[in-house]
């Protein structure tokens, strides 16, 4: 296996890790208006389930983008210029979400907290949808000219396949988040999360199944990726049964398997392209014509081989430390500043 193939796989792993880990963070934020509507304490329980890990989960996106920039600079340049508007909207939504989570408890005022809750919700729903739209269009292909520039606009990305991709990621992340919330909470929050996961699983199966099947049949699916199409289907069907039985631990395992399988189908369908051109296949970006030099890839490989195990061990340790369930009784009274003091 050459270095180009190795780095294509590694970037796929990084984005898959981001979707698995940040996916349930998005899901918890998406479900806050529904599951947290009864009291502020319930909303704080929901935030505390992701509180110790959400910012670490975002590192996967940063590393994935950095790896793309260093290993495949032409892919990075074409993607970030051609998808400028959706990626900018995702960035703004993520910043809004970060600020809302960090500053929600700084001021002891119900109106302030409601505004932050809106920020968390918007900052979760928007990326959950637009990441699906973006990845669907990367696999489908966009008009790219001989100068490696995308010649279409934002609204061309909102084609039926792209929209289905956005609906799929929104539903799957919401389901993933509900299952994670059931796994990490206790009492009434867990009970409601289990019920929510059970009914979210019903639309998620046909929508996600349809998207993965469409990808396989119409957008470059390989013979070997049928294995992962079947694995994704089995995992989603298992989630339906497990959420109905309130087996959230195994349900979380299978939502994770479904996301990983779907990402393997997407990246497997894409390979060896990194951005197919619908203008002319000769203008498509591949792992060969979009990559950095051999020396650059070699240095990056040594750095990744040294740092990746350290990062994985640290993040695994974080999840182990904060593994216990959270109950409403564990939430202390709010200690934020009064609104008047905060304004001063």
């Amino acid at each position: 296996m050459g270095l180009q193939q190795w780095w294509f796989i590694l970037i796929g792993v990084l984005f898959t890790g981001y979707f698995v880990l940040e996916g349930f963070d998005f899901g918890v934020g998406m479900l806050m208006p529904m599951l947290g509507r009864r009291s502020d304490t319930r909303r704080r329980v929901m935030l505390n389930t992701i509180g110790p890990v959400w910012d670490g989960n975002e590192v996967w996106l940063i590393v994935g983008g950095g790896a793309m920039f260093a290993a495949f600079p032409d892919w990075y340049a074409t993607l970030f210029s051609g998808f400028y508007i959706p990626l900018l909207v995702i960035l703004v939504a993520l910043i809004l979400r970060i600020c809302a989570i960090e500053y929600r408890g700084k001021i002891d005022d119900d109106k302030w907290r409601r505004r932050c809750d809106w920020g968390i919700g918007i900052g979760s729903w928007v990326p959950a949808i637009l990441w699906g739209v973006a990845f669907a269009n990367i696999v489908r292909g966009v008009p790219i000219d001989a100068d490696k520039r995308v010649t279409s606009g934002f609204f061309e990305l909102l084609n039926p396949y792209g929209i289905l991709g956005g609906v799929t990621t929104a539903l799957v992340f919401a389901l993933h988040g509900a299952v994670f919330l059931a796994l990490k909470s206790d009492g009434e929050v867990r009970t409601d999360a289990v019920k929510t996961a059970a009914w979210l699983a019903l639309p998620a199966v046909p929508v996600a199944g349809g998207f993965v099947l469409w990808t396989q049949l119409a957008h470059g699916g390989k013979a070997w990726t049928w294995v992962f199409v079947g694995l994704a289907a089995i995992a989603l069907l298992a989630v339906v049964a497990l959420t109905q039985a309130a087996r959230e631990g195994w349900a979380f395992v299978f939502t994770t398997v479904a996301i990983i399988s779907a990402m393997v189908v997407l990246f497997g369908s894409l390979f060896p392209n990194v951005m197919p051109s619908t203008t002319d296949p000769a203008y498509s970006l591949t792992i060969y014509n979009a990559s950095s030099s051999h020396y650059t890839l070699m240095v990056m490989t040594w750095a990744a081989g040294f740092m990746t195990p350290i990062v994985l061990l640290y993040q695994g340790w974080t999840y182990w430390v904060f593994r216990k369930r959270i109950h409403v009784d564990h939430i202390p009274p709010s200690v934020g500043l009064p609104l008047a003091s905060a304004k001063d």
Side-chain angles (χ1 to χ4, degrees):
M1 181 182 295
L3 291 177
Q4 289 99 338
Q5 291 93 332
W6 161 251
W7 276 98
F8 178 83
I9 292 172
L10 182 57
I11 290 171
V13 169
L14 289 169
F15 276 100
T16 300
Y18 174 71
F19 279 8
V20 169
L21 298 176
E22 191 72 350
F24 64 71
D25 290 344
F26 288 146
V28 171
M30 294 161 72
L31 296 173
M32 274 190 67
M34 179 191 308
L35 297 181
R37 66 185 182 278
R38 296 181 187 175
S39 68
D40 181 64
T41 304
R42 285 171 61 101
R43 291 190 288 275
R44 290 176 64 192
V45 168
M46 296 178 70
L47 283 177
N48 274 274
T49 62
I50 63 173
V53 298
W54 68 268
D55 47 355
N57 294 341
E58 290 191 340
V59 172
W60 288 75
L61 174 63
I62 297 170
V63 177
M68 183 186 294
F69 171 77
F72 301 102
D74 287 343
W75 183 12
Y76 181 92
T78 301
L79 175 63
F80 277 73
S81 60
F83 288 49
Y84 183 82
I85 292 178
L87 292 178
L88 177 62
V89 172
I90 288 173
L91 177 61
V92 172
L94 290 176
I95 293 172
L96 177 64
R97 175 172 167 265
I98 291 169
C99 293
I101 292 175
E102 291 290 347
Y103 287 98
R104 186 183 188 277
K106 304 299 183 183
I107 299 176
D108 189 14
D109 179 71
D110 289 339
K111 184 179 292 186
W112 170 261
R113 285 191 285 264
R114 283 196 298 272
R115 289 173 178 171
C116 288
D117 292 342
W118 273 102
I120 294 169
I122 294 171
S124 299
W125 275 98
V126 171
I129 295 170
L130 289 183
W131 277 126
V133 173
F135 268 86
N137 279 280
I138 291 172
V139 174
R140 174 181 177 269
V142 290
I144 300 175
D145 62 18
D147 296 322
K148 301 180 180 179
R149 294 179 301 185
V150 176
T151 58
S152 61
F154 170 71
F155 290 102
E156 282 82 358
L157 301 178
L158 302 179
N159 51 75
Y161 179 68
I163 292 173
L164 181 60
V167 175
T168 298
T169 49
L171 277 174
V172 171
F173 288 168
L175 172 61
H176 197 42
V179 172
F180 176 80
L181 187 60
L183 183 64
K184 283 288 295 174
S185 63
D186 207 351
E188 60 183 21
V189 177
R190 174 181 177 269
T191 301
D192 290 348
V194 169
K195 293 178 181 177
T196 302
W199 68 258
L200 276 173
L202 298 178
V205 171
V207 172
F211 175 70
V212 172
L213 190 60
W214 190 346
T215 302
Q216 178 68 17
L217 293 177
H219 297 297
K222 314 295 193 300
W224 62 269
T225 54
W226 276 110
V227 175
F228 292 92
V229 173
L231 189 58
I234 293 170
L236 287 170
L237 291 173
V239 171
V240 174
L242 291 165
T243 51
Q244 297 291 336
R247 299 290 300 275
E248 62 268 20
W250 280 107
F252 185 77
V253 170
F254 279 101
T255 55
T256 300
V257 170
I259 294 173
I260 293 173
S261 300
M263 292 298 290
V264 171
V265 172
L266 288 175
F267 275 90
S269 300
L270 191 60
F271 184 84
N273 294 319
V274 291
M275 285 197 74
S277 172
T278 57
T279 303
D280 187 335
Y283 299 154
S284 295
L285 301 184
T286 70
I287 63 171
Y288 306 107
N289 65 19
S291 71
S292 294
S293 67
H294 178 82
Y295 181 76
T296 300
L297 295 178
M298 180 66 70
V299 172
M300 289 173 56
T301 301
W302 280 105
F306 175 74
M307 292 300 301
T308 301
I310 298 174
V311 173
L312 291 177
L313 285 172
Y314 175 77
Q315 193 163 26
W317 175 79
T318 303
Y319 276 92
W320 175 256
V321 169
F322 296 101
R323 66 189 181 278
K324 293 184 178 181
R325 293 179 182 268
I326 302 173
H327 192 277
V328 291
D329 294 339
H330 299 154
I331 303 299
S334 176
V335 293
L337 293 172
L339 184 58
S341 299
K343 288 181 178 178
D344 294 340

